[in-house]
Amino acid sequence: MRPKTLHQHSQKHIKTVSNRLSRTIGHLNAIKRMIENDKDCSEILIQLAAVKAQVNNTAKVILKEHLAHCVIHAVEENDTQSIEELNKAIDMFMK
């Protein structure tokens, strides 16, 4: 097996993921304020479900990018360790 080479993501991808995470953080802060203001639990749970969906969608963007670029590169380089790491990350994410 060859040593792992570093890869870089496009600035567009980095900006996309960063923007998504900023929106999610803002949403979580709004939920925190809802709790501090003793809002209805049902409303809070609905907002938490929305955050959960945002996190999952952000993960999907990252996974698609990883498959399209990093995994293809790993296969070309016969880098089985990267494939194993991806499988482990997916298992952890799906718990």
Side-chain angles (χ1 to χ4, degrees), residues 2-14:
R2 296 180 193 145
K4 189 186 281 193
T5 57
L6 295 177
H7 63 275
Q8 290 186 325
H9 297 283
S10 71
Q11 286 302 310
K12 180 180 178 188
H13 172 73
I14 292 168

Side-chain angles (χ1 to χ4, degrees), residues 38-77:
D38 199 25
K39 295 291 183 183
D40 180 67
C41 293
S42 297
E43 290 177 39
I44 293 168
L45 288 171
I46 290 168
Q47 294 307 312
L48 283 170
V51 167
K52 204 165 138 182
Q54 288 175 322
V55 168
N56 286 336
N57 286 330
T58 301
K60 185 168 46 173
V61 167
I62 292 169
L63 180 58
K64 284 182 177 182
E65 172 79 3
H66 191 63
L67 290 172
H69 299 284
C70 308
V71 172
I72 289 173
H73 182 72
V75 169
E76 289 171 348
E77 296 291 318

